[in-house]
Amino acid sequence: VQLQASGGGLAQAGDSLRLSCAASGGTFESYVMGWFRQAAGKEREFVASISRRYDTYYADSVKGRFAISRNNAENTMYLQMSSLKPEDTAVYYCAADPSGGMATNDFGSWGQGTEVTVSS
């Protein structure tokens, strides 16, 4: 499966942004989908994931502020980010895997990343 992330940009603290991840070349509904992020000088970290049955999981740092969703008819996953903080600044990557999880090694397919910058 090929993944294309979009929707990043500049935001101020407290703003909202919605990221999208368009999938092609695979059976979208059969994949666990996830969002990860990597800030400058840091390791890539788990943000959120959504299972084939629409179960959702979040990192503690974004719980209550971010919402992950998927639209199987449109082969697209979303990350609605609200109450953004400067520490949310990172490159955000979408990922897919038949099994998935909460670690980077749990996902076999990755998009190219979209950058989010949040100013205070």
Side-chain angles (χ1 to χ4, degrees):
V1 63
Q2 289 76 50
L3 304 174
Q4 179 78 32
S6 62
L10 300 176
Q12 292 189 329
D15 284 353
S16 298
L17 280 176
R18 189 177 79 157
L19 305 183
S20 299
C21 176
S24 61
T27 306
F28 182 75
E29 57 266 28
S30 70
Y31 290 98
V32 176
M33 300 297 296
W35 287 100
F36 289 75
R37 67 186 182 186
Q38 187 166 17
K42 296 188 177 181
E43 293 187 352
R44 193 170 298 189
E45 65 176 7
F46 172 80
V47 175
S49 66
I50 184 165
S51 73
R52 294 182 295 273
R53 294 176 295 184
Y54 297 87
D55 297 320
T56 58
Y57 305 88
Y58 296 94
D60 288 343
S61 59
V62 306
K63 202 171 294 183
R65 299 188 298 120
F66 290 11
I68 189 171
S69 61
R70 65 190 298 164
N71 185 325
N72 288 346
E74 296 182 353
N75 291 347
T76 304
M77 172 182 64
Y78 301 97
L79 185 69
Q80 179 67 47
M81 305 186 294
S82 302
S83 302
L84 283 165
K85 302 176 180 181
E87 51 263 44
D88 294 320
T89 295
V91 177
Y92 284 71
Y93 297 89
C94 57
D97 194 270
S99 299
M102 298 178 72
T104 55
N105 289 341
D106 293 330
F107 287 84
S109 299
W110 292 84
Q112 86 291 358
T114 185
E115 189 166 7
V116 173
T117 302
V118 183
S119 61
S120 58

